[in-house]
Amino acid sequence: MHKFILGLSLLAATAVQGQTPPKPFGAVPAPRQLEWHKTEVYGLIHFTPTTFENKEWGYGDADPKTFNPTAFDAEQIVLAAKAGGLKGIVLVSKHHDGFALWPTKTTDYNISKSPFRDGKGDMVREVADAARKHGLKFGVYCSPWDRNNALYGSPEYLQIYRAQLTELYSNYGELFMSWHDGAMGGDGYYGGANEKRSIDNTVYYDWSNTWGGITRKLQPSANIFSDVGWDVRWAGNEDGSVDPTSWATLTPVPPVGKNEAVPGQANATENPGGTRGGKFWIPAECDVPLRKGWFYHENEKPKSPEKLFELYLKSVGRGAALDLGLAPDTRGQLHEDDVAALKTFGERLSKTFSENLAAKASIRAVNVRGYNSIYSAKNILDGNPETYWATDDDFKTPDAVIELTKPVTFDIISIQEYIQLGQRIEEFAVDAWDGQEWKEIGKATSVGAKRLIKLPEPVTAQKVRLRITKSPVSIALSSFGLYKDSQ
Ligand code: FUL
């Protein structure tokens, strides 16, 4: 009798849980970050007088007249990016050389002093328009370090930099990213001074007021990228990957001798892996140039489509994003080798991920939250990122068996958490039924927005089992997929 009553009350408790979604675990993404996660792969264009000098860092002394592309074509660049599967473009509107690609009122060192479009051009406008015309998001990178500006290093320069951001935020529509690096200064032209100017990058740019006072107000949907955030963190390298275990949460650790962690720390050791249970949702961006350098150099070649796919697995496939540097040549277009590499990479992405081989499977899970069909395990196969499979609070390591109508051959496993409820899962494994027994075919750690496992060999199976093997709380999983690499 007692057992019966206990059973009934457990059932009742479960049913009650089914009325409410699981409690979020730890830090969760803001709406702007959720949009950013969907972008996955985007590009970062570097094109300034530095291109014409064949350098990586312009000194700030190039004559604006050298900026003379013979056939600039924003659509050519954007369409090549689109063919590569890129969903956004960030334009370096001003690099360290200080040359502004828009007719800014803040400095004479800008595009209106160049022969481009007879001094009437605005490259920020052209790239923004081309991106939007072809369905890509648009963002800007305005370098805080300015090797041209005579006032760099003084408080007055900060006002100039802020006015530049204000112009960029006010005149080019909604931005998906505001990209910043924490450059510390160094030698430069500085209005003819030709000297070395160093600043303390943890205080000089006063990021909390620059971003809090300007970026957040004028562009609330722009994700602020810097070494430690606010919205997106640097992966800690320019190779295009994060650690195999990489958390989207981060508690920035103060640099030696400082009480507070602020942007500008540069090589924060926690960047490639994040912080498990970290205070803020600050996922990583893996920025890597398509070629060797960020600017175009004739003697360099683009990375192969195979390499790009490998980087995709090590960035997007680990819950981060891939930001590919695009370097137009002196014509103002992407070289045909770059166009070809992007196209082949993009075709591989779209062919590989166009069909989830598990989409029509049936699924049986050991537990569904409160027996409520809203949280059904079927949700992970429905292709809808807004639905998810959730378990009761005490079901932290559930299994689900996915059964297909016929055997399928796959070599990529994809799983995604419903990150609105935080990054919950720590480890999982996948088994295939070989007719006699379950064989583990893959396992991985941190999941978050997306986790891809590339199997060493294709596997053919009709029954697959997903096992969540470690999680501090119940799970909320939005997607499970089996794919066959088209290569
Ligand atoms: C770095 C810069 O110093 C490089 O020149 C490049 O712009 C890269 C994307 O960011 O911080």
Side-chain angles (χ1 to χ4, degrees), residues 25-30 33-34 36-37 229-233 247-250 278-284 319 417-424 447-449:
F25 177 70
V28 295
Q33 293 172 309
L34 284 173
W36 173 86
H37 276 291
W230 287 349
D231 300 307
V232 178
R233 72 176 193 265
W247 306 105
T249 49
L250 185 78
K279 223 164 139 193
F280 308 102
W281 187 272
I282 310 179
E417 285 187 272
Y418 185 71
I419 53 175
Q420 285 88 329
L421 295 177
Q423 188 164 19
R424 308 168 78 91
V447 179

Side-chain angles (χ1 to χ4, degrees), residues 58-64 96-98 109 145-152 186-197:
Y59 188 73
D61 61 344
D63 187 332
H96 306 329
D97 65 338
Y109 201 51
W145 183 25
D146 189 321
R147 301 175 96 185
N148 173 266
N149 206 293
L151 294 170
Y152 183 78
D187 59 345
Y189 175 70
Y190 304 124
N194 289 308
E195 60 188 11
K196 190 163 183 219
R197 291 187 187 171

